[in-house]
């Protein structure tokens, strides 16, 4: 599919390791107590960015109060 090929050519695909998965699960568990609509995929994205010390760019308002996140408009 051309769309996926374009994404792969212009992106860096980071692996999901066991460490990141465990961190995401813990973060998800804690975050759901604060925001019940926060999803597991959101937790995986956040944990991956945090693990690699990357800024997370997103338009998703679930991330607005978190560190190392740039909310795009």
């Amino acid at each position: 599919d051309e769309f996926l090929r374009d994404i792969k050519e212009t992106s860096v695909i980071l692996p999901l390791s066991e460490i990141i998965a465990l961190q995401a699960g813990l973060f998800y568990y804690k975050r759901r107590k604060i925001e019940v609509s926060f999803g597991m995929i959101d937790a995986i994205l956040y944990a991956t960015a945090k693990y690699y010390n990357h800024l997370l760019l997103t338009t998703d308002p679930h991330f607005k109060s978190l560190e190392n996140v740039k909310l795009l408009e």
Side-chain angles (χ1 to χ4, degrees):
D1 175 55
E2 186 177 336
F3 177 70
L4 289 177
R5 187 185 75 238
D6 289 345
I7 290 174
K8 288 179 181 180
E9 289 176 358
T10 60
S11 302
V12 175
I13 309 296
L14 301 172
L16 175 59
S17 67
E18 183 177 349
I19 293 169
I20 294 170
L22 291 171
Q23 290 174 346
L26 181 59
F27 181 73
Y28 173 75
Y29 174 76
K30 291 178 180 179
R31 191 67 186 174
R32 290 283 289 199
K33 292 180 179 183
I34 299 167
E35 188 175 350
V36 296
S37 64
F38 198 85
M40 188 63 202
I41 297 298
D42 291 338
I44 291 169
L45 291 171
Y46 186 70
T48 301
K50 191 171 181 177
Y51 180 83
Y52 288 102
N53 199 30
H54 289 316
L55 180 67
L56 179 61
L57 302 175
T58 182
T59 59
D60 188 337
H62 285 127
F63 295 96
K64 69 180 172 185
S65 64
L66 299 174
E67 295 178 358
N68 296 322
V69 173
K70 171 108 171 121
L71 198 60
L72 304 172
E73 296 180 22

